[in-house]
Amino acid sequence: MYPGIWSFQLALRSKGLGSSMCAYHLPAREAEVAELLGIPDDVAQISLLAVAYTTQRDFSPATRRPAREILSFDRWDRSAWIG
């Protein structure tokens, strides 16, 4: 489901809309949210998306640290990087 959510968020962004994934209500308040929003009992809630127009119109790629700096292989030790 999350790749679909991510793709939807990218589509929103291309239209000048921003979104935020919310899942903090799961599982403690799932039934309450279902009743509030009219979600049927046979539908599983994975996430809710807050969607709104943004004040920012010029989006650019986020800065990212190189994978070599944040990934490890088989253990926490950063020196275990393969590649």
Side-chain angles (χ1 to χ4, degrees), residues 64-77:
R64 297 177 189 250
R65 292 172 49 193
R68 178 177 303 282
E69 292 180 13
I70 60 173
L71 294 178
S72 299
F73 183 75
D74 278 346
R75 57 181 290 160
W76 190 255
D77 182 7

Side-chain angles (χ1 to χ4, degrees), residues 8 12 15 25 31 33 37 39 41 45-46 50 54 62-63 66 78:
F8 181 63
L12 290 170
K15 300 296 182 185
H25 72 288
V33 170
L37 298 177
I39 300 171
D41 290 338
Q45 296 178 46
I46 304 298
T54 66
T63 57
R78 299 274 188 251

Side-chain angles (χ1 to χ4, degrees), residues 43-54:
V43 173
Q45 296 178 46
I46 304 298
S47 177
L48 299 176
L49 287 178
V51 178
Y53 284 101
T54 66

Side-chain angles (χ1 to χ4, degrees), residues 1 4 11 18 28 30-31 38-39 44 55 57 60 67 73-74 81 83:
M1 295 307 303
E30 183 174 3
I39 300 171
T55 57
R57 295 285 181 227
S60 61
F73 183 75
D74 278 346
W81 173 262

